[in-house]
Amino acid sequence: MRVAYQYKLRPNKQQIEVIKNWLNLLRRQYNYRLGERFDWYKQNRNSINSCPLICHLPQLKDNPNYYSQKKDLINTKELFPEYNSVHSQVIQDVIKRVKLTFDRWLKGDSSGKRSGKPRFKGMGRYHSFTYPQIKQDCINGKKIKLPKIGEVKFIQHRPIPNGFKIKTATIIRKADGYYVILSLEDKSIPFPDVRIVPSPDNTIGIDMGLKSFLIDSQGDEVKIPQYYRQAQKQLRVKQKAVSRKKKGYNDSIFYKVALLR
């Protein structure tokens, strides 16, 4: 069984700068590797089914695949030394992302469904990177140790279940800060079979109305929550406070002045 736990990170200023620098370098690497695959695709594909008997066929170039692009990372680090500061497995995971998104476009997924043409990532459009492997003892109290970044404070609102092992760690940037997503696995727990065949025994009809929120086919009634009615008393108090304020009045400024005094 495999689950994912998400925790809020509290990195310091230096660690934030490192994460931002990594995301920018990985974004450039993603665009470059994706561009290599696009160039090969444009130069080697043939839009017609036949050609004249006498024609010049250009020499086919090697198809950049996952292994060739990963091997070329050595040249990338020699030409651009700044990539040496990024964890090696994190850069390799970028190559894997390019492979997956390109294969979904040309071949489709396991069900044969194809996705749209991959896009290059602009500034601020690359939000995450992944450690494919991480030590099991990376969590030490209220800190998590991320390779080449250091120990980062985080909010562990729930402990990791017993028996589960940490497989991967993904750092993601969101609007309200940074998060770490830990992928956990316990091979002793079988993956549940979620396939459910509809039948009269496991099917319930729902009727939504005005007097009640809903009534199901078994006769159970759910009343309307009435959130607005419940909050009316608190809303009246806040509206009175707003009506007494003058236009342009900022109580937060006066509050800060009062604290300084």
Side-chain angles (χ1 to χ4, degrees):
M1 182 178 183
R2 198 155 186 169
V3 295
Y5 277 19
Q6 179 176 270
Y7 302 104
K8 180 71 179 286
L9 291 176
R10 297 292 188 186
N12 54 36
K13 292 183 179 180
Q14 184 179 1
Q15 291 168 342
I16 291 176
E17 290 300 321
V18 173
I19 295 175
K20 287 183 178 179
N21 184 43
W22 281 25
L23 288 174
N24 186 38
L25 292 174
L26 297 174
R27 178 188 65 85
R28 288 161 49 186
Q29 185 67 207
Y30 178 91
N31 291 339
Y32 177 74
R33 300 302 174 182
L34 186 61
E36 280 186 336
R37 289 177 176 262
F38 279 146
D39 291 341
W40 175 87
Y41 180 73
K42 291 178 181 179
Q43 294 176 8
N44 293 275
R45 69 172 181 172
N46 190 359
S47 59
I48 59 177
N49 296 325
S50 60
C51 62
L53 295 178
I54 301 175
C55 64
H56 174 70
L57 295 177
Q59 184 178 1
L60 297 179
K61 294 185 177 181
D62 293 335
N63 182 8
N65 54 29
Y66 171 72
Y67 299 101
S68 65
Q69 288 188 325
K70 189 170 69 171
K71 186 177 180 180
D72 190 54
L73 289 175
I74 300 176
N75 300 327
T76 301
K77 292 183 178 181
E78 291 180 356
L79 296 174
F80 304 98
E82 57 267 25
Y83 279 96
N84 292 314
S85 63
V86 186
H87 196 271
S88 59
Q89 291 186 352
V90 172
I91 306 179
Q92 294 173 10
D93 185 72
V94 175
I95 308 298
K96 184 178 180 181
R97 291 189 186 187
V98 174
K99 176 185 180 302
L100 292 177
T101 187
F102 200 79
D103 289 346
R104 289 195 194 104
W105 175 49
L106 292 182
K107 304 176 183 178
D109 55 12
S110 58
S111 61
K113 185 178 181 181
R114 296 173 57 183
S115 60
K117 184 178 180 180
R119 297 182 180 181
F120 292 106
K121 304 292 184 180
M123 290 292 294
R125 301 289 294 179
Y126 199 91
H127 303 292
S128 65
F129 58 85
T130 301
Y131 292 96
Q133 294 178 347
I134 193 167
K135 294 183 178 179
Q136 299 301 315
D137 58 348
C138 61
I139 297 177
N140 184 14
K142 296 182 179 180
K143 294 183 179 180
I144 180 171
K145 188 174 183 181
L146 302 175
K148 285 203 171 186
I149 295 179
E151 292 187 345
V152 183
K153 293 182 180 179
F154 78 118
I155 302 175
Q156 191 177 10
H157 57 276
R158 56 178 175 175
I160 295 178
N162 295 329
F164 280 84
K165 293 184 178 181
I166 303 176
K167 302 297 292 183
T168 64
T170 300
I171 311 302
I172 182 170
R173 178 178 59 192
K174 295 186 179 182
D176 59 340
Y178 295 90
Y179 291 81
V180 58
I181 301 176
L182 300 179
S183 179
L184 311 175
E185 184 182 29
D186 188 356
K187 295 183 179 180
S188 63
I189 302 177
F191 192 79
D193 189 3
V194 296
R195 293 175 297 178
I196 299 177
V197 179
S199 66
D201 297 331
N202 60 12
T203 304
I204 298 177
I206 296 177
D207 181 22
M208 304 185 68
L210 297 177
K211 293 183 178 180
S212 301
F213 181 69
L214 62 88
I215 299 177
D216 59 21
S217 56
Q218 297 179 353
D220 297 329
E221 180 181 358
V222 178
K223 296 183 178 180
I224 298 176
Q226 299 288 355
Y227 295 119
Y228 175 74
R229 300 298 181 189
Q230 296 175 7
Q232 263 189 326
K233 184 177 179 180
Q234 186 179 5
L235 182 62
R236 282 197 297 266
V237 175
K238 292 186 176 182
Q239 285 178 338
K240 288 180 181 179
V242 173
S243 63
R244 288 194 293 266
K245 292 181 180 180
K246 295 181 181 180
K247 186 177 181 180
Y249 176 80
N250 191 345
D251 54 352
S252 61
I253 296 177
F254 286 95
Y255 177 71
K256 292 179 182 179
V257 173
L259 289 178
L260 292 175
R261 290 179 180 178

